[in-house]
Each structure stands twice: as C-alpha cells, then as structure tokens.
Amino acid sequence: LRNTTFLSTLLLFLSSSTTLCSARKKARIKSGTKYDAHSPVHVLVNKVGPFNNPSETYKYYSYPFCKDHHADDETLEKFDRKGGEGHKLHLGEKMTGHRLESSPYEVNFQTDIDFRRLCKKTLKQAELAKFRDAILQQYFFEFYVEDLPMWGYFGEVADDNLFDHSQQQVYLFPHLHFKLGYNKKNQIVSTSVFTQSSFKIDISDESVDELEVEFSYSVEFIKTEIQWRHRFSKYVDSKFYAHKSEVHWLSIFNSILLVLLLMSFLILILMRVLKQDFVRYMGGMSEDLEADLQGDDRDPLLAEENAAAIMEEETGWKLLHGDVFRCPSYPSLFAAIIGVGTQLIACSVLVLGMALCGIVSTTYRGQILSATVISYNLTGFVAGYVTAQVYALLTVTLQTKSTVSGSMSWMAPLVNAILLYTVPVGAVFAYVNTVAITGGSTAAMPISAIFTVLALSVFVGVPSTLLGNIIGRYNFRNGSLSKPMPTRTNKIPRQIPPIVW
C-alpha cells in the first residue's frame, strides 16, 4: 500500500509540474487547416543563430525585435496580436532547441498588404552593438506558418573586409516581405520571407548613442498547384534545411550480401581449422587425428609419443584457451555492459527501421529524437534479459561462488543495467544543459521536457528492464543455457607478467 501511495504521489507531482510548466502555453497551430477568406494566419517566431553554427541558437526575442503591433497612422486601426507568447511543443521539439512563440504580425488569409508599419523602436547603443555583432556573424532567424519554416538574415555586410571590421558597412533589414502560397483547398502549402534591401538601415557607426528604427512588413498570397502532402518538396534545395539524402538500396543490399558471404567463408575456414583443437581441449582427439596416430603400420610406442607431443604443443592463442571463459572479477558489471550494449544495438536498429519505413520522419523537427528516447526505454527489456542470461552463464555455468537462487545476487546486475548508461549520460547532460542555460541558448532543455524524460525512464525504462531480467532468469532456470563451454577452464589462472609502462 505504501509503495502504491508513493507511486501515485510521484505521478501526480510529475504531471502537475509538467502542467504548470505548460499552463501559459498556447495551443499548437494545426497544419493543413482550410482557411476562409480573411481568416487569421499565425506567423510564429522560433529561434535565431549564426548560419555557420546551427547548434548555437537563441530565442528570437532575445534580440530587441517588436513584440507589439503599433496602430496604423493612416487608418488608426489597432491590432491585438502580441509577440513572445509561447506555444506548446512536442518532446522532440524541446530537445532540439525549438522555442515557438507568437508574433505581432497581422496576417489574414488572401489579404495582401503592400506595406504596414509594425512598430517604431529606439535602439540604444548596446542594442545596436548586439545587432551589429549578429549581422557580422551572419545571424539568421526562423519563422513558422503551421509546420512550414522560413528563414531570413538580420542584415548584410557591404565591403566585407576580413581583417578590419571598422571599415565594414553593416546594414539592418527592418522590413520583411511574406509570400504565402495556397492550393485549391485553401491550405497553405508554401511559405517564404524576403528581406528588402531598399529599406536597409546603416548601423555601422559605433559612436551613435541611439537610433530610431521603423520595423515594417508586407504580405503577398499566391495560388499554387502544390498538393498539401508535397508541401515540403521546395525545401530539398534549401541551404537552411536538413537535406534528405537519396537511399541507394542496390548498393546497401550489395554490401550486406558481400559481407555475409565473406563472413560465411571465414567461419567455414576457421571451423575446419579449429575443429581438432576444440575436440582435443574438450578431452579427446578427432577421428582424423586418431586414425593418423593409430595406424596399423606404425609403432605403438612411437604413435603414443607423437600423440603426447601434439597434445602438449600450444602456441599463440592456444596458450589462453584455458582462461578465455574464466569468470571476470566483477561478473555483474560485465553482464550489465553486455546487456546495455545489446540494448543500444536494438534501439539503433529499431529507430533506423522506423525511419526507413517512413514511420518516423527524419526531416520533421524532433521526431527522430523523440523516437530514440522512447525506443531506448522500451528496449530496456533487451538489456534486462541479456544481463540476466550472461550473469547466470558466468556465475552458475562457470561454477563460481554466486548462485542463481540468491535474490541479492541478481540485484547488482539489474541495478548496473539500469544505471550503467543513464548515469554517465545524465551527468554529461546536466553539465551541458547548465552551460546552455548560462549562455541563454535554446539548446537548454526546459524543465517540462526533463520531467517527461525522467517519467519515461522511471515508469517505462525501469519496468521493462526488470521484466526482461525476470524472464531471463526464468529461462535460465528452465535449462535454456545448459550447454557447456567450448573449452575447459583451468583451475589456476594463468599468470600475466607485469609490464613496465
């Protein structure tokens, strides 16, 4: 009852914490929406960063852009949209650094805008210096309409002098032109944003204390024949988007078959060469060897001496045959290493299989990372099963002091299998995440995503590992691994001479 109460309390704490973290988040913008004429179209801002280092990203509003839409001077029309309000994200989006927020751009479906002022801002010297440094580092911004991204640069540098930045002319682009395409079903299928050089502002002078900048935008809607399911086709040649490489199936299958063929030949040769050695080390001689040594035309004494010489001749790897299957000093740790390694292989194969089958998109933001986290926790069953089997093989079959009946003897490999990979990765993540938080980067995982990953590990990863461990122990007790080792193990370990480093 106490355990049930504890688990219920922990679940309630995790769910309430995640809810509080996302309480002020707006609902996701559904892709594929069929718009009516003049219905609102939401433009979301995501992140900014240097083009040459896409992993270094920051929130869009970490720079002094407009969060409010000022009223139109001519029509006195007021606009209510606000910028900087967060939107709900999936786990993979949070882990890949996406931070979708609302923007003040007033865009309505099939409503073109030639020019509209967004706001007027008086940029201080520090803000101008921040923009100037960003433009020199080729900073870009990323916007979204539904699930379609679009990119643009902060500005441009004229007379690019790599050795003397004081001679460079730095220009800021305060005007953006949105070009949105829609199909026959009134679905938005293409998005683009352009910066207008005719509106650029020179911010090269570092001595200026403040500068008034007018941010503005324009909107253009065009009708296209693009189907909604082909809306990502335009991003194939984009320098901002991760390209989807063409899969050469013939080359892959050719390589796999070639490797399998070579491995088969190698195994056949090794089995033929080592067959006599295996039989001899198990306590007897092969039929061919016995026939050679016991021929009718040979002297029995000479044959016996030859047999003894052949049996005692040990060179190279044969010197270690009596210590190969010796139980290691820490069998629980060794078994956990084998189990976790098998789990990582199974997780990789599962994720790659889902990606090849199209179940998981390799281009959609965060899906491949979400699939990896979930697959790793689900394949904890593999780690638990393999760990139990290897540990039983080491402690029982090799006749060590541990026994399969001891309950505490099974706890050590189970705990090692659970913590062996998660603890080092968690420690590295904590350090990297702390550095990202200190630098204000969007690469820092938010607290809601951390709670989600912890909940998956506790309530999916641990039970699956425990289940696999129980099944592995049960199968071993029923004689699934009762076969002896290929060679006998010497009772006295072979002495390893010390090496002077």
Side-chain angles (χ1 to χ4, degrees), residues 102-121:
S102 62
S103 71
Y105 294 102
E106 288 281 348
V107 180
N108 296 310
F109 189 69
Q110 294 181 346
T111 303
D112 293 344
I113 301 173
D114 295 331
F115 177 85
R116 179 181 286 171
R117 188 185 70 177
L118 183 62
C119 74
K120 279 187 178 181
K121 288 183 70 73

Side-chain angles (χ1 to χ4, degrees), residues 371-393:
T372 303
V373 173
I374 296 173
S375 299
Y376 175 78
N377 287 282
L378 291 177
T379 52
F381 176 86
V382 178
Y385 183 86
V386 174
T387 299
Q389 294 278 357
V390 174
Y391 183 70
L393 182 69

Side-chain angles (χ1 to χ4, degrees), residues 322-323 326 489-496:
D323 297 279
R326 185 178 304 281
T489 303
N490 297 333
K491 293 183 179 180
I492 300 176
R494 186 178 183 85
Q495 296 297 322
I496 301 176

Side-chain angles (χ1 to χ4, degrees), residues 46-49 53-60 62 89 91-99 369 428-447 449-450:
N46 189 20
K47 56 188 177 181
V48 300
N53 186 14
S55 61
E56 180 188 355
T57 55
Y58 306 94
K59 286 186 175 182
Y60 179 80
S62 61
L89 301 171
L91 175 63
E93 294 173 328
K94 296 176 182 179
M95 297 178 69
T96 50
H98 290 272
R99 299 294 183 269
L369 193 54
V428 173
F429 163 76
Y431 172 75
V432 174
N433 203 58
T434 303
V435 173
I437 292 174
T438 305
S441 173
T442 60
M445 190 184 298
I447 188 67
I450 295 176

Side-chain angles (χ1 to χ4, degrees), residues 455-471:
L456 284 172
S457 300
V458 173
F459 299 109
V460 178
V462 174
S464 63
T465 307
L466 178 60
L467 178 62
N469 190 272
I470 293 173
I471 295 177

Side-chain angles (χ1 to χ4, degrees), residues 103-213:
S103 71
Y105 294 102
E106 288 281 348
V107 180
N108 296 310
F109 189 69
Q110 294 181 346
T111 303
D112 293 344
I113 301 173
D114 295 331
F115 177 85
R116 179 181 286 171
R117 188 185 70 177
L118 183 62
C119 74
K120 279 187 178 181
K121 288 183 70 73
T122 301
L123 301 178
K124 305 297 183 181
Q125 190 175 28
E127 296 174 331
L128 289 172
K130 193 172 184 179
F131 270 127
R132 192 180 304 112
D133 293 339
I135 295 172
L136 289 173
Q137 297 181 48
Q138 294 183 331
Y139 265 53
F140 70 95
F141 58 83
E142 183 178 56
F143 288 176
Y144 273 90
V145 174
E146 296 182 358
D147 58 349
L148 298 174
M150 46 187 173
W151 303 272
Y153 288 101
F154 280 21
E156 66 177 4
V157 179
D159 299 329
D160 194 359
N161 191 332
L162 299 176
F163 304 100
D164 187 5
H165 287 183
S166 61
Q167 301 297 325
Q168 295 175 334
Q169 296 295 317
V170 182
Y171 296 97
L172 175 67
F173 294 145
H175 182 85
L176 300 179
H177 178 73
F178 297 99
K179 191 173 183 179
L180 309 179
Y182 63 95
N183 58 14
K184 297 179 180 179
K185 297 182 180 180
N186 288 348
Q187 296 172 307
I188 296 179
V189 293
S190 67
T191 59
S192 300
V193 61
F194 301 93
T195 52
Q196 302 289 339
S197 299
S198 57
F199 293 91
K200 64 183 180 182
I201 297 175
D202 189 355
I203 58 172
S204 306
D205 192 354
E206 299 180 1
S207 62
V208 175
D209 293 332
E210 60 182 28
L211 180 66
E212 186 178 57
V213 178

